[in-house]
Amino acid sequence: MVSTAAQADLEVLLFAQKDVDRVQPYADVLRRGGADGFVLSGIDYDDPRVEFLQQRDIPFVCFGRVIDETVISVDVDGASGIQAAASHLHSLGHERIAFVGWPEGSATGDDRYAGFSSWANELGVEAHRVVRTHNDFDLARKLVPALMSDHSPTAVVCVSDTVALGVMSGLRDEGLEPGHQIAVTGFDDIPAASLCAPSLTSLRQPMDRVGALLVERLAARLTGEDAPGSVLVEPDLIVRQSTTGALKAASAEEVPLTQEGTP
């Protein structure tokens, strides 16, 4: 994002939002004359920052989607990503695939669940194998006994890497080996995904591309040009040992799908 902004002769100001009031930090920055426009992240349904900036005719773009379709946004296609993960598992022969998601009401979480639900309905796979939890390692670990007893999955698609790592830990608590007996996928491809054992199959968000698209759209708004419309960016499926077992690849390089192995 920073390099793209520099090419557009823009400076990037980062600031932490600690206030419970999500709008006040933006009001403070505007009062100090510290910004001409904003990239909003952490978007939720009916985000109050959107209306605040719209009322003041302040240029902004969103990383994440809002209800107002006139708002320009760039987002990673979580639904498509989850469908890719589920299709990968299905191609390996899994039929009993469960989904561990976040509680309803999260824009990102709901999008990822919608991907699983639509994929399952399209293929005729049981879509009721759904468990919800917060984005917490320990809570995800503790839900595994109920997940296994109620749904008996052979594979688990998780809404995030944090949840997936918790599920893998919970599977070990139950005497099951992730990647060999139960396949697991995550989302976000955090650094721990490639470092844990087994390494975690995950969906990588192409943040360099997302950042460039956001700056491109904000720059157009700042200069009065016709800004490109909203866009969804496909995440990359990074296949690792949590879905394929002990890979016997000749190198650790990623290959399409993309796949990572160990020597």
Side-chain angles (χ1 to χ4, degrees), residues 11-121:
E11 293 183 358
V12 175
L13 168 68
L14 301 178
F15 67 95
Q17 184 174 323
K18 298 180 181 179
D19 303 62
V20 175
D21 183 347
R22 303 193 74 191
V23 168
Q24 190 58 48
Y26 293 83
D28 292 341
V29 171
L30 289 172
R31 187 180 65 254
R32 295 192 299 266
D36 297 313
F38 294 92
V39 173
L40 305 184
S41 62
I43 293 293
D44 288 321
Y45 298 126
D46 294 325
D47 196 299
R49 297 171 296 173
V50 170
E51 183 178 0
F52 173 81
L53 295 173
Q54 284 177 324
Q55 290 176 345
R56 289 154 181 79
D57 198 27
I58 304 297
F60 72 95
V61 294
C62 295
F63 175 33
R65 283 162 279 179
V66 296
I67 293 176
D68 186 345
E69 295 183 355
T70 66
V71 173
I72 297 174
S73 66
V74 178
D75 198 13
V76 174
D77 194 343
S80 175
I82 290 295
Q83 290 169 356
S87 294
H88 164 61
L89 293 169
H90 194 256
S91 72
L92 296 175
H94 295 282
E95 295 287 344
R96 301 197 309 274
I97 303 173
F99 178 77
V100 181
W102 293 325
E104 294 182 57
S106 156
T108 299
D110 290 351
D111 181 46
R112 294 178 186 183
Y113 166 71
F116 178 78
S117 179
S118 63
W119 171 86
N121 290 332

Side-chain angles (χ1 to χ4, degrees), residues 173-220:
D173 292 343
E174 297 298 302
L176 299 169
E177 184 56 36
H180 291 279
Q181 294 171 280
I182 306 290
V184 181
T185 69
F187 202 120
D188 296 323
D189 197 34
I190 63 176
S194 62
L195 300 175
C196 62
S199 54
L200 176 62
T201 293
S202 185
L203 289 146
R204 178 180 296 165
Q205 303 196 52
M207 297 309 297
D208 287 346
R209 174 162 169 73
V210 168
L213 291 169
L214 286 166
V215 171
E216 176 185 89
R217 283 153 174 74
L218 181 58

